[in-house]
Amino acid sequence: MKALIKRFKADEDGATAIEYGLIAALIAVAIIAAVRSVGSTLSGTFSDIDNELSS
């Protein structure tokens, strides 16, 4: 029983998977923020172009 508890305590595979999951989530949040920022700017640019072409 002691060996089982010692092996469970030393096993870090689950912790590694959680860390990779957190890193992936942070990268996803950064990508979403960047795309939203660029999307807003790009939308404004296309609106300006549309207004100029309509004039």
Side-chain angles (χ1 to χ4, degrees), residues 17-47:
I18 291 172
E19 289 169 357
Y20 284 135
L22 289 173
I23 290 169
L26 289 173
I27 291 171
V29 168
I31 290 171
I32 290 169
V35 167
R36 288 185 67 147
S37 174
V38 170
S40 297
T41 304
L42 193 58
S43 176
T45 302
F46 280 126
S47 293

Side-chain angles (χ1 to χ4, degrees), residues 1 5 10 15 32 34 36 41 54-55:
M1 187 68 169
I5 293 173
I32 290 169
R36 288 185 67 147
T41 304
S54 296
S55 304

